[in-house]
Amino acid sequence: MEFEYPSFGVVVIDGERYDHDVVVAEGRVTARDKGPSKSLKAGYGHTPLSFGESIPWSKPRLVVGTGHSGQLPVVPDVEAEAERRGVDLVVLPTSQAVELLNRSDLSEVNAILHVTC
């Protein structure tokens, strides 16, 4: 897979343009369902990545792109679950996450990419 983050609000994966957050798992791209995390928005100032979401834990590494300015919060429960499962959780602004994904062996990595803020 080839990843690009050409501008705020857009990620391109294998030539396909997405204008919403995505989850990349097992070679498939799906929309991130933020619904389970929306109730936490007031406490974080932004809808965070929370344990209530469907997080792809099936690979040894999970890369989380936190948006253009790196403002997507990741709740401590997600960090704790990654540690419990032995998953290397890498949290970076989306532009850096995309660079890392392009250098990674994707058979070992899943990702969640936030495309705004």
Side-chain angles (χ1 to χ4, degrees):
M1 294 181 120
E2 175 94 16
F3 297 85
E4 298 173 56
Y5 186 55
S7 64
F8 181 91
V10 175
V11 67
V12 178
I13 303 171
D14 284 344
E16 183 82 23
R17 180 183 169 103
Y18 299 90
D19 60 0
H20 53 76
D21 293 3
V22 296
V23 175
V24 181
E26 307 301 327
R28 296 182 38 209
V29 180
T30 58
R32 174 182 167 221
D33 178 9
K34 298 186 268 188
S37 299
K38 287 194 183 256
S39 65
L40 301 172
K41 182 177 183 176
Y44 286 90
H46 181 35
T47 302
L49 177 64
S50 77
F51 190 69
E53 293 183 40
S54 179
I55 297 175
W57 297 113
S58 62
K59 305 282 183 173
R61 175 176 275 183
L62 175 62
V63 175
V64 177
T66 58
H68 183 76
S69 300
Q71 295 183 6
L72 173 74
V74 177
V75 300
D77 288 352
V78 171
E79 296 168 352
E81 184 64 13
E83 187 173 328
R84 186 187 76 74
R85 291 175 180 255
V87 172
D88 179 26
L89 179 65
V90 180
V91 179
L92 299 165
T94 299
S95 60
Q96 294 174 30
V98 162
E99 290 175 13
L100 177 61
L101 290 168
N102 282 327
R103 295 189 315 264
S104 296
D105 175 357
L106 295 181
S107 69
E108 301 289 319
V109 180
N110 286 324
I112 298 172
L113 301 175
H114 180 61
V115 299
T116 58
C117 67

